Amino acid sequence: MSTPPTNRTFKIAAVPADGVGAEVVAAGRTVLDTLAEASGGAFSFAWTEFPWGCDYYKKTGRMMDDDGLAALEEFDAIYFGAVGWPSVPDHISLWGLRLRICQNFDQWANIRPVHFHPGITPPLRKADDTPLGWVVVRENSEGEYAGLGGRNLSGRGPGNEVAVQTALFTEQGCERIIRFAFELARTRPHKKVSSVTKSNAQQYGMVLWDETFARVAKDYADVETESVLVDAMSAKFVLHPEDLSVVVASNLNADILSDLGSALAGSLGLAASANLNPERRFPSMFEPVHGSAPDIAGRGLANPIGAIGSAALMLDHFDLADDAARLRKAIEATTGAGITTPDVGGTATTDQVISSIIENL
Ligand code: NAI
Ligand code: MG
């Protein structure tokens, strides 16, 4: 048996950014610090908070500092809230902060588990009597979010502008995320990878993806496979979710499917995610799947479980699997006792959910 690591201090950059981001990042920090205190000195967290986001943009004209990436590179991980506020166009805020970090730090694997919590009645009726749970693996560096294209011809006058948005698929980009999905499937009870494209209509990039999937699959004869078109996969999420284990898809398709998955499990507020640079050349980033939720921000109503579940993924990343498991058990004890926020039918506040999770730790 290996001895547990001792006296490790993890330097974490907290970027709460906008709306409920501040509330849920504060929640995750409290829970992580509680775990660290209970570790008897085995590990601790050294936090630095960055004020970037839409307010910062209003003051400075920048979503983050010009040398912000260099500052972030010094950290062991980034703990992110959510970016976006009605005062700034969404494509400016998202590209200026979250996508800038993901792309420049080559966080090419985005892991988004769809987890069904005890005590939460999901809208997916099948979950009432069938144990469900799967992981969406999202290609996070290219595809439809490569940011390639442009707008032109505005000189021709109103009504004549054109826009081109190009999706980028490289064989290397497809192969690395597909292999990642297969490796993940091997660690799960149901060893299966479902690959999702729309290669009937998108005959270049997505056919390259399909061909790469078929080639890589040959190296994993012990893992079951299927290739499904994205429209059919959305139906399958609802009708045959028991058949899913690891679902690998391009940037846009997996973005949409993971919101669908978290809604089927009860709420967007429950879903955790990790943006990984698996080679560890750069810090990885942990954040809830949801956005800044302007409709409920600042009212103590935000569900902190997505962000706290993302903290558990960060513990996994630091090889603190036992502590991650403890945290997940504490979350489940809280939802199991019916202590939940209004988005999943409860009456608890954000703070009451946090207190309960801490008690259960
Ligand atoms: P959203 O995820 O912020 O909200 C969608 C719905 O889910 C809302 O009804 C909201 O109240 C609810 N919700 C979200 N998080 C919740 C939580 N923790 N607890 C309870 N309910 C929660 O998506 P929306 O409204 O499309 O976008 C709002 C802003 O967030 C936009 O500016 C958008 O660009 C940005 N956004 C940012 C993301 C990120 O930073 N990763 C991801 C998605 C959106
Ligand atoms: Mg999304």
Side-chain angles (χ1 to χ4, degrees):
M1 260 189 60
S2 62
T3 42
T6 50
N7 298 316
R8 292 165 76 195
T9 298
F10 298 103
K11 287 175 65 185
I12 315 290
V15 186
D18 301 313
V20 297
E23 297 158 66
V24 300
V25 162
R29 284 182 61 164
T30 306
V31 169
L32 284 171
D33 283 337
T34 304
L35 270 169
E37 272 165 41
S39 79
F43 64 90
S44 60
F45 299 99
W47 296 93
T48 304
E49 188 161 310
F50 291 87
W52 303 327
C54 289
D55 283 346
Y56 193 80
Y57 181 85
K58 282 282 165 196
K59 280 182 220 136
T60 65
R62 293 185 306 271
M63 285 301 297
M64 68 190 293
D65 288 340
D66 288 340
D67 59 357
L69 289 172
L72 289 178
E73 213 175 327
E74 302 303 312
F75 288 85
D76 295 310
I78 302 160
Y79 191 51
F80 193 86
V83 63
W85 199 250
S87 56
V88 179
D90 282 342
H91 65 279
I92 303 227
S93 55
L94 197 68
W95 273 103
L97 189 55
R98 184 184 172 277
L99 288 177
R100 189 161 166 214
I101 296 170
C102 286
Q103 295 217 333
N104 284 288
F105 286 171
D106 201 21
Q107 293 167 346
W108 52 266
N110 184 200
I111 309 310
R112 297 183 152 188
V114 177
H115 184 69
F116 290 76
H117 293 78
I120 291 175
T121 310
L124 187 59
R125 285 284 68 83
K126 201 160 207 168
D128 291 353
D129 45 32
T130 311
L132 298 176
W134 63 95
V135 184
V136 176
V137 172
R138 171 186 181 186
E139 201 298 313
N140 211 32
S141 66
E142 50 183 51
E144 308 85 345
Y145 296 179
L148 301 177
R151 293 174 60 168
N152 218 327
L153 304 189
S154 60
R156 289 186 185 175
N160 290 308
E161 195 172 350
V162 295
V164 174
Q165 184 93 40
T166 305
L168 173 77
F169 289 86
T170 68
E171 193 165 2
Q172 196 191 65
C174 296
E175 179 158 354
R176 65 184 181 177
I177 196 69
I178 288 166
R179 281 196 189 279
F180 188 98
F182 275 104
E183 294 293 334
L184 178 63
R186 275 189 169 159
T187 68
R188 294 174 58 81
H190 187 182
K191 296 179 181 26
K192 176 173 180 182
V193 179
S194 306
S195 166
V196 181
T197 61
K198 186 66 185 171
S199 53
N200 55 345
Q202 299 192 298
Q203 72 273 52
Y204 307 119
M206 294 223 166
V207 172
L208 176 63
W209 175 297
D210 281 357
E211 289 171 5
T212 306
F213 182 71
R215 173 169 60 76
V216 171
K218 293 195 184 112
D219 294 341
Y220 297 87
D222 52 321
V223 179
E224 200 186 324
T225 61
E226 65 178 351
S227 281
V228 184
L229 298 173
V230 67
D231 34 7
M233 183 54 90
S234 356
K236 188 164 185 169
F237 264 41
V238 178
L239 298 174
H240 296 293
E242 71 282 359
D243 202 29
L244 302 171
S245 179
V246 175
V247 177
V248 63
S250 64
N251 223 326
L252 172 66
N253 287 337
D255 191 3
I256 298 169
L257 286 174
S258 52
D259 265 33
L260 175 60
S262 50
L264 292 173
S267 168
L268 223 51
L270 295 169
S273 93
N275 301 284
L276 301 177
N277 172 246
E279 299 85 6
R280 301 188 186 232
R281 283 173 54 225
F282 297 101
S284 292
M285 178 159 76
F286 301 84
E287 53 159 0
V289 166
H290 65 76
S292 60
D295 53 337
I296 59 162
R299 293 162 53 198
L301 297 174
N303 191 336
I305 289 180
I308 296 174
S310 307
L313 291 170
M314 186 158 88
L315 294 169
D316 283 333
H317 183 68
F318 292 147
D319 294 322
L320 297 170
D322 291 349
D323 295 274
R326 270 184 69 203
L327 178 50
R328 291 190 179 103
K329 256 178 85 180
I331 294 171
E332 302 221 325
T334 296
T335 60
I339 301 167
T340 55
T341 43
D343 56 310
V344 282
T347 54
T349 61
T350 310
D351 284 343
Q352 286 167 335
V353 173
I354 302 165
S355 302
S356 169
I357 291 172
I358 286 174
E359 253 168 61
N360 290 324
L361 281 174

